[in-house]
Amino acid sequence: MLGLRHRGGCPGPGEVVALPPLEGEAAGGDHETESTSDKETDIDDRYGDLDSRIDSDIPEIPPSSDRTPEILKKALSGLSSRWKNWWIRGILTLTMISLFFLIIYMGSFMLMLLVLGIQVKCFHEIITIGYRVYHSYDLPWFRTLSWYFLLCVNYFFYGETVADYFATFVQREEQLQFLIRYHRFISFALYLAGFCMFVLSLVKKHCRLQFYMFAWTHVTLLIIVTQSHLVIQSLFEGMIWFLLPISSVICNDITAYLFGFFFGRTPLIKLSPKKTWEGFIGGFFSTVVFGFIAAYVLSKYQYFVCPVEYRSDVNSFVTECEPSELFQLQNYSLPPFLKAVLRQDFANTIPGHGGIMDRFDCQYLMATFVHVYIASFIRGPNPSKVLQQLLVLQPEHQLNIYKTLKIHLIEKGIL
């Protein structure tokens, strides 16, 4: 396709792989005495043997080491492993939540940097798993190409964000105008360069494994980077769309662990033997209650409900607006049977962490849901974004739009 031939002679899409002759078969001899089905069976057996040899060569991934601070180990040395894990998770959870509140106080830009940092760490953890397998074959460029593709994809997504939300700033900078104008072409060229480097790095006897790792990198990019971009998009719609989903997942993690720790008796799934039905149910209802309370509190502040916009005159992000009806309390009429149920008084009826990816896997899925929800039910025309797009048009186009808008407003009786 690209006209490149890699150094190892790995077959291309249209090339045929020559297998050694079957046992008892000459290189150019008579094949009529052997049935086609027997040949296919022998070929399948040999490919199966090849797959099993590849699988057997892959080393086992060593378990992660204990990185608990020594001061905590000494302070909790007299406790059982169960309670030791309880205190370690509790202390680190409170520490991370405190840091998260501090970053929220520092504003939207710091939250974007936080998302980027978490994205890079999650990518590193997943790619490291593949690298441990790949490194045993002494094959070149896997880790280098993985990070290169991460830079390319981030360049594309963040460039799209700059073009959408920082148009007035870009208009003042000629160099940025060139990068934004040809942004997608540059992004494609960068990706194509990485693809060519991958083709040149292929080694004949390890082609299949190299393509496995190539796919591993791209699936990781799809899961991590794409959904990180959706988190940023949700943040620009209003900080509440960033904080509420994230805090709900955190609440579910914490309360499910607490209910499971104290009341857990029934295993939930075999994949995670420590998870219980009691923890699952307790976490579910706790998260529902938390969602109502958090939404009620956050919706009272412009800082959380107003879209995040970049103001070129003050050179900073601002969150000032008139909150929409979406964030105002509304009265709803309930069906009669629900009214009867809600009249009862239920007040007295209901008397250690892994890696970064372990904590944020659900956050990425939640980011996709929030983005789809906003695009389907919430987002409307954004006057600020329309104005930014108008400002980058040619003067004659701006004048035509002005005349058309003026005629429209006169016909509506507004002017």
Side-chain angles (χ1 to χ4, degrees):
M1 180 177 69
L2 298 173
L4 294 173
R5 292 302 301 271
H6 50 77
R7 60 182 182 179
C10 189
E15 297 177 272
V16 177
V17 181
L19 294 173
L22 299 173
E23 184 178 355
E25 172 184 321
D30 186 6
H31 303 285
E32 296 178 358
T33 58
E34 182 175 353
S35 66
T36 303
S37 60
D38 292 339
K39 291 182 181 179
E40 292 176 350
T41 302
D42 289 338
I43 292 175
D44 289 339
D45 290 342
R46 281 184 290 162
Y47 272 125
D49 293 340
L50 177 61
D51 288 337
S52 63
R53 289 199 301 272
I54 291 177
D55 293 338
S56 63
D57 290 340
I58 296 177
E60 293 184 359
I61 298 174
S64 57
S65 58
D66 184 9
R67 298 185 178 182
T68 305
E70 290 295 330
I71 187 171
L72 285 180
K73 289 183 178 180
K74 293 180 180 179
L76 305 175
S77 58
L79 300 176
S80 64
S81 59
R82 183 169 181 263
W83 281 101
K84 185 185 298 184
N85 183 59
W86 156 268
W87 280 105
I88 291 175
R89 288 175 67 102
I91 293 172
L92 295 182
T93 296
L94 292 176
T95 302
M96 290 188 291
I97 291 176
S98 301
L99 292 175
F100 185 54
F101 279 128
L102 176 62
I103 295 174
I104 293 172
Y105 175 78
M106 297 172 70
S108 304
F109 183 72
M110 294 303 299
L111 287 173
M112 295 178 198
L113 292 181
L114 174 66
V115 172
L116 178 61
I118 292 173
Q119 173 213 115
V120 171
K121 182 58 179 174
C122 290
F123 182 84
H124 171 261
E125 289 185 356
I126 297 179
I127 288 299
T128 299
I129 298 174
Y131 179 71
R132 289 174 180 172
V133 174
Y134 196 88
H135 184 65
S136 64
Y137 290 86
D138 196 24
L139 299 176
W141 296 6
F142 166 68
R143 193 160 59 176
T144 302
L145 284 174
S146 297
W147 288 103
Y148 175 81
F149 283 124
L150 176 67
L151 291 175
C152 290
V153 176
N154 271 308
Y155 175 81
F156 170 74
F157 281 126
Y158 279 94
E160 294 288 310
T161 301
V162 170
D164 286 341
Y165 296 98
F166 301 89
T168 53
F169 174 76
V170 171
Q171 190 179 15
R172 302 200 307 257
E173 304 291 336
E174 293 185 2
Q175 295 179 344
L176 290 179
Q177 288 182 22
F178 173 81
L179 292 176
I180 294 300
R181 181 179 180 84
Y182 301 103
H183 171 67
R184 296 189 177 183
F185 179 80
I186 295 173
S187 301
F188 177 74
L190 291 173
Y191 177 83
L192 195 62
F195 184 81
C196 292
M197 287 189 287
F198 167 73
V199 173
L200 293 172
S201 71
L202 291 173
V203 178
K204 184 175 182 179
K205 62 179 180 178
H206 295 309
C207 280
R208 179 177 296 188
L209 180 60
Q210 287 180 284
F211 275 102
Y212 285 164
M213 296 298 101
F214 187 71
W216 179 280
T217 299
H218 281 66
V219 171
T220 304
L221 291 172
L222 177 64
I223 295 174
I224 303 299
V225 184
T226 304
Q227 298 191 86
S228 297
H229 175 68
L230 299 183
V231 173
I232 300 296
Q233 295 290 307
S234 300
L235 177 60
F236 275 106
E237 296 295 329
M239 202 175 292
I240 190 173
W241 301 111
F242 174 84
L243 295 178
L244 188 59
I246 286 180
S247 59
S248 296
V249 173
I250 294 173
C251 173
N252 183 265
D253 280 344
I254 294 174
T255 55
Y257 175 76
L258 292 176
F259 276 93
F261 185 87
F262 288 107
F263 309 109
R265 297 292 183 274
T266 312
L268 179 63
I269 54 175
K270 294 182 179 180
L271 182 63
S272 298
K274 292 184 179 181
K275 288 183 171 58
T276 62
W277 276 104
E278 292 81 2
F280 172 77
I281 296 172
F284 171 78
F285 285 104
S286 300
T287 304
V288 171
V289 173
F290 171 83
F292 279 106
I293 297 174
Y296 175 78
V297 174
L298 293 177
S299 63
K300 290 183 172 297
Y301 299 93
Q302 288 189 9
Y303 183 75
F304 297 116
V305 301
C306 292
V308 178
E309 298 179 356
Y310 176 79
R311 288 268 299 275
S312 57
D313 53 341
V314 295
N315 194 31
S316 66
F317 294 98
V318 295
T319 51
E320 298 176 357
C321 69
E322 185 67 28
S324 67
E325 295 182 357
L326 179 69
F327 301 108
Q328 299 175 9
L329 291 178
Q330 305 289 334
N331 293 323
Y332 296 94
S333 59
L334 297 175
F337 73 93
L338 280 181
K339 290 182 180 180
V341 172
L342 293 177
R343 286 196 190 100
Q344 305 298 324
D345 183 6
F346 289 99
N348 297 321
T349 304
I350 303 176
H353 298 281
I356 293 294
M357 195 61 198
D358 293 322
R359 301 274 67 81
F360 290 94
D361 49 359
C362 292
Q363 300 287 5
Y364 286 121
L365 295 176
M366 178 66 82
T368 302
F369 168 77
V370 172
H371 180 79
V372 172
Y373 179 83
I374 293 175
S376 302
F377 304 107
I378 304 300
R379 182 183 296 147
N382 189 332
S384 176
K385 192 171 181 180
V386 173
L387 180 60
Q388 290 185 9
Q389 293 174 340
L390 288 175
L391 292 176
V392 298
L393 295 177
Q394 296 297 324
E396 57 271 19
H397 295 156
Q398 293 176 341
L399 187 59
N400 289 334
I401 293 174
Y402 167 74
K403 292 178 180 179
T404 303
L405 181 61
K406 182 179 180 180
I407 294 173
H408 174 74
L409 294 177
I410 291 175
E411 292 176 351
K412 291 286 187 180
I414 299 176
L415 292 180

